[in-house]
Amino acid sequence: QVQLVESGGGLVQAGGSLRLSCAASGRTFSNYAMGWFRQAPGKEREFVAAINRSGGSTYYADSVKGRFTISRDNAKNTVYLQMNSLKPEDTAVYYCAADSRVHRYSDYLNPIQYDYWGQGTQVTVSS
């Protein structure tokens, strides 16, 4: 089992920044690929960003590319999502997820591939 706890969400004005953190416990963190997903009211959960086990490869949704940065610190068992130039359409509950099996690019983008999820943190961007 892997336990994931997100933090860092909040209310920010458009153009502002937030940094989300996801602390993992329970298993060897470096064995898991990590992803960030988000879900806005009335919408399906969507992929935001992902990072491979070593941190050497990262993947982003087109909607956040150039504004968001995913990173991880395997010594601290934590993955981060730095969000800059935030827009009102970024408003959602943000979830981190972990899985030990993802290898293909398509796997990283698919929430069904991830076995472990955090409880989510709310991000609200005002216009």
Side-chain angles (χ1 to χ4, degrees):
Q1 290 284 348
V2 175
Q3 292 78 45
L4 303 172
V5 179
E6 301 98 335
S7 61
L11 173 64
V12 64
Q13 289 188 332
S17 298
L18 283 174
R19 188 194 196 201
L20 305 184
S21 299
C22 174
S25 62
R27 292 286 179 92
T28 303
F29 181 66
S30 58
N31 287 345
Y32 292 83
M34 301 296 297
W36 285 98
F37 293 80
R38 65 188 181 187
Q39 189 165 17
K43 295 187 177 182
E44 293 187 353
R45 191 167 298 190
E46 65 172 359
F47 169 76
V48 175
I51 190 166
N52 72 346
R53 292 158 185 78
S54 67
S57 295
T58 56
Y59 310 93
Y60 297 95
D62 288 343
S63 59
V64 307
K65 203 170 291 183
R67 301 188 297 122
F68 291 11
T69 302
I70 188 172
S71 62
R72 67 189 295 162
D73 186 337
N74 285 346
K76 295 184 177 180
N77 291 352
T78 303
V79 63
Y80 305 97
L81 186 68
Q82 178 67 43
M83 304 187 295
N84 299 329
S85 302
L86 282 161
K87 304 175 181 180
E89 50 264 44
D90 294 318
T91 295
V93 177
Y94 283 70
Y95 300 90
C96 71
D99 198 83
S100 61
R101 301 164 299 163
V102 291
H103 288 284
R104 297 176 301 180
Y105 170 73
S106 58
D107 291 343
Y108 284 96
L109 278 58
N110 189 350
I112 296 176
Q113 290 295 130
Y114 291 81
D115 279 344
Y116 302 103
W117 292 84
Q119 82 289 349
T121 186
Q122 177 71 46
V123 171
T124 303
V125 184
S126 63
S127 56

